[in-house]
Each structure stands twice: as structure tokens, then as C-alpha cells.
Amino acid sequence: MEQQDPLAQLKDIHLPESIGIWPPAIGWWLLAIILLALVIGGLIWLLKRHQATAYKRVAQAQLQEIESRFQKDKDYRQLLSDLSVLLKRTCITRYGRARVAGLTGKEWLKFLDEAGSTQDFTQGPGKVLVSERFQPTPNANSQALLQLVQSWLKKQS
């Protein structure tokens, strides 16, 4: 009898199927959940931040209206009145009625200085909001006052 080659009886190697992309391993699922939570959390934070600073955007728009009205009319008494009302409304919205509504005179200016990290209301151009507001012919540096209110609004968070 003829001897057969024992190696000829061996069958070829069968490779396993390649690993597919789907379904992902548990680590990828966890990473996807964490990233989704971060995106949702970031969007919620942005929305709350946008809502919390809405008063500031409204105040800045009103300041622009006040400035354009003053440029047209040159009425210093109206300018002082409008800026006082704007600042009071903004502070009531930002800091609360109980803390702000009763403030007048130097206490009001002192509060504005503290809220804006400045001394320009008690010692600078902002003091005319109290000292000159009810004078028949107020003596106010309108540009310095408007710039002061604008910078004060920018400092509010």
C-alpha cells in the first residue's frame, strides 16, 4: 500500500470573523453618555446665563435710546432723570427691590460705586445724579456721565 502524506489530510485554517463596529463596547457607550450629558449641561448653562443677563442687554439698549434722545434735545434735566431711572431699574432687577428701592442721595451713589467697583458716582461725574438732578439748570458733563453709566452696566454680571 501506498503511504499517503499525513499533511495532505490537514484542513486549512479558518480565521474568525472580523470584529464589527456595531455594537460598540461598554466604554464607548459610557463615553457617549458622558459627552451627551456635557453638551446638554453646557446648553442649559448657556440658556440660564442668557436669561440672567437679559436685564443688562435691555438696560444697554435703553441707554442708547437715552443718549440719542439727549443728542437730539440737549435736555440735561431729562438726561439726569432718565439715567437715574435706568440705574434704579437695573439695580432693582439685579440686586432686588428690598436692597435697592429705598436708597437715595449719597447712600444711592455709594451703592452704585460698590456695585460697579468704582468711586465715580460719589467722587466723579456721577454725583450730579443727586446734586444736580432737580436743579433748574443742571451743570452736568453729559459725555462723562454717559460713559460712566455705560462702563457701570458692562461691569454688571
Side-chain angles (χ1 to χ4, degrees):
M1 279 202 162
E2 227 180 273
Q3 281 251 358
Q4 286 189 347
D5 184 17
L7 294 178
Q9 296 177 5
L10 292 177
K11 297 187 179 185
D12 199 13
I13 297 175
H14 294 290
L15 296 175
E17 292 182 28
S18 62
I19 298 174
I21 295 177
W22 199 260
I26 188 74
W28 290 110
W29 284 107
L30 291 174
L31 180 64
I33 290 170
I34 290 170
L35 287 176
L36 183 63
L38 286 173
V39 167
I40 290 171
L43 289 174
I44 290 171
W45 179 82
L46 283 173
L47 179 63
K48 286 185 177 185
R49 176 82 174 143
H50 181 74
Q51 290 172 342
T53 58
Y55 78 93
K56 188 175 174 180
R57 288 187 301 281
V58 170
Q60 288 173 333
Q62 289 176 348
L63 180 62
Q64 292 299 319
E65 290 175 18
I66 291 169
E67 186 173 2
S68 64
R69 188 174 334 131
F70 174 74
Q71 295 301 331
K72 189 173 79 173
D73 300 339
K74 298 292 184 195
D75 186 356
Y76 288 99
R77 289 183 70 203
Q78 187 64 43
L79 175 68
L80 293 177
S81 177
D82 289 346
L83 290 177
S84 294
V85 169
L86 174 67
L87 288 169
K88 188 69 94 164
R89 284 181 182 166
T90 304
C91 286
I92 286 173
T93 302
R94 169 72 174 92
Y95 299 103
R97 182 172 299 279
R99 185 172 174 198
V100 176
L103 296 175
T104 59
K106 291 184 180 184
E107 294 299 319
W108 169 237
L109 296 178
K110 189 175 175 183
F111 176 82
L112 289 172
D113 279 343
E114 290 171 4
S117 302
T118 183
Q119 294 182 347
D120 291 334
F121 284 100
T122 54
Q123 299 174 11
K127 64 184 170 185
V128 298
L129 291 173
V130 170
S131 64
E132 301 285 326
R133 182 172 175 200
F134 299 108
Q135 298 297 322
T137 55
N139 183 13
N141 182 347
S142 61
Q143 287 301 353
L145 188 58
L146 287 166
Q147 287 174 354
L148 173 60
V149 173
Q150 179 68 33
S151 68
W152 184 90
L153 285 173
K154 285 180 182 179
K155 291 179 184 177
Q156 303 305 302
S157 56

